[in-house]
Amino acid sequence: MNDLLKDQVCLVTGATRGIGKAIACALIEQGGIVYGTATSENGASAIAQNFKRVEGDGHGHGHGRVLDVTDARGAGNLITEITEQSGAPLVLVNNAGITRDNLVLRMKESEWDEIMDTNLKSVYTLSKACLRGMTKARFGRIINISSVVGATGSAGQANYAAAKAGLIGFSKSLAREVASRNITVNAIAPGFIQTDMTNALSEDQRQAIMKNIPMAKLGSPEDIAAAAVFLASSAANYITGTTLHVNGGMFMV
């Protein structure tokens, strides 16, 4: 039986597919009680179905919930609901994110604002909402999913890169604020991962990307999930304020 996170209440935003789905399922496999969020009822139902495939055999269990991560009141209400049903979420994985790619000269203000609200401000909102329960428990794990482009930059993604870089700075700052309460805050910066987004790339685009990855392959969502499980577990008790780069050598600190 895997029980690194036995009975630990976890919240994963953006858990419908890709990295979020893999993280949520991995937390269940390690015994966690996992709440995964989506932006629609259909998405929440899909999450619940995904969870059923990994529940049982000593694993934990999960629930799908609807959440617009830009809605602070909705986030607060969800934390209250989870706390009443299962206990305060002591593991928070801020994974939800969107892209609105464009060159800065052509970028609409709305494309900038949507990225900041969804990819950065929501992390502040949800972290703040969870901190009360974590502080009371004198334990917590906040894991923020950043990106390699937050460290390297990416033409046509100034909004996305800025938000992902902001996550790293936020993680370091919050880590300093809550370390004395046994709450750790870390970021994971994935490189190019095999998801719906990379599946849509042309063969020429894929080959161009591969030239910049020493391991000459894309990562899998499970690679990121393994990093998240590690940071959520007791094995990472003394790790906080750090960014774990999972990118096949594409960017080396």
Side-chain angles (χ1 to χ4, degrees):
M1 181 178 72
N2 297 323
D3 59 359
L4 287 176
L5 300 168
K6 183 172 175 57
D7 298 330
Q8 194 71 266
V9 181
C10 311
L11 173 60
V12 181
T13 64
T16 310
R17 58 185 180 271
I19 290 172
K21 174 184 173 182
I23 291 173
C25 289
L27 295 175
I28 289 176
E29 289 172 350
Q30 294 297 335
I33 301 169
V34 181
Y35 288 79
T37 76
T39 57
S40 67
E41 289 288 354
N42 285 341
S45 296
I47 290 171
Q49 289 300 314
N50 291 333
F51 287 169
K52 286 181 179 179
R53 298 186 182 99
V54 294
E55 292 173 341
D57 295 328
H59 295 174
H61 60 275
H63 312 269
R65 291 291 185 271
V66 176
L67 176 66
D68 175 357
V69 294
T70 67
D71 177 7
R73 179 175 295 181
N77 290 339
L78 177 60
I79 301 304
T80 298
E81 177 193 340
I82 293 172
T83 301
E84 291 175 350
Q85 182 173 341
S86 302
L90 301 183
V91 175
L92 169 64
V93 181
N94 287 304
N95 169 74
I98 59 173
T99 56
R100 296 288 185 270
D101 295 352
N102 215 337
L103 297 173
V104 169
L105 282 173
R106 299 174 183 171
M107 188 177 291
K108 299 175 183 177
E109 189 171 343
S110 61
E111 292 174 326
W112 178 273
D113 290 342
E114 287 174 27
I115 290 295
M116 293 301 159
D117 286 346
T118 302
N119 295 13
L120 184 56
K121 186 178 179 181
S122 68
V123 175
Y124 150 78
T125 299
L126 280 154
S127 298
K128 185 176 181 180
C130 287
L131 277 174
R132 184 182 299 275
M134 293 179 178
T135 300
K136 185 176 181 180
R138 304 287 294 185
F139 176 86
R141 297 281 192 268
I142 297 176
I143 302 166
N144 299 319
I145 307 303
S146 181
S147 169
V148 64
V149 303
T152 65
S154 177
Q157 290 190 305
N159 50 0
Y160 185 79
K164 293 301 187 179
L167 278 185
I168 293 173
F170 175 84
S171 300
K172 291 178 179 180
S173 299
L174 183 58
R176 291 182 180 274
E177 293 181 13
V178 300
S180 64
R181 295 166 177 81
N182 197 33
I183 301 168
T184 65
V185 187
N186 293 290
I188 299 173
F192 281 92
I193 306 300
Q194 190 82 50
T195 62
D196 292 344
M197 188 186 307
T198 54
N199 288 339
L201 296 173
S202 69
E203 186 58 29
D204 287 344
Q205 289 173 318
R206 290 173 68 90
Q207 290 303 317
I209 290 169
M210 292 301 181
K211 291 179 182 178
N212 294 316
I213 303 175
M215 293 188 74
K217 64 179 181 179
L218 300 182
S220 71
E222 289 71 27
D223 292 325
I224 310 305
V229 167
F230 166 67
L231 290 174
S233 75
S234 60
N237 276 341
Y238 202 53
I239 299 174
T240 195
T242 194
T243 300
L244 181 55
H245 291 274
V246 186
N247 58 41
M250 180 181 175
F251 172 76
M252 300 183 188
V253 180

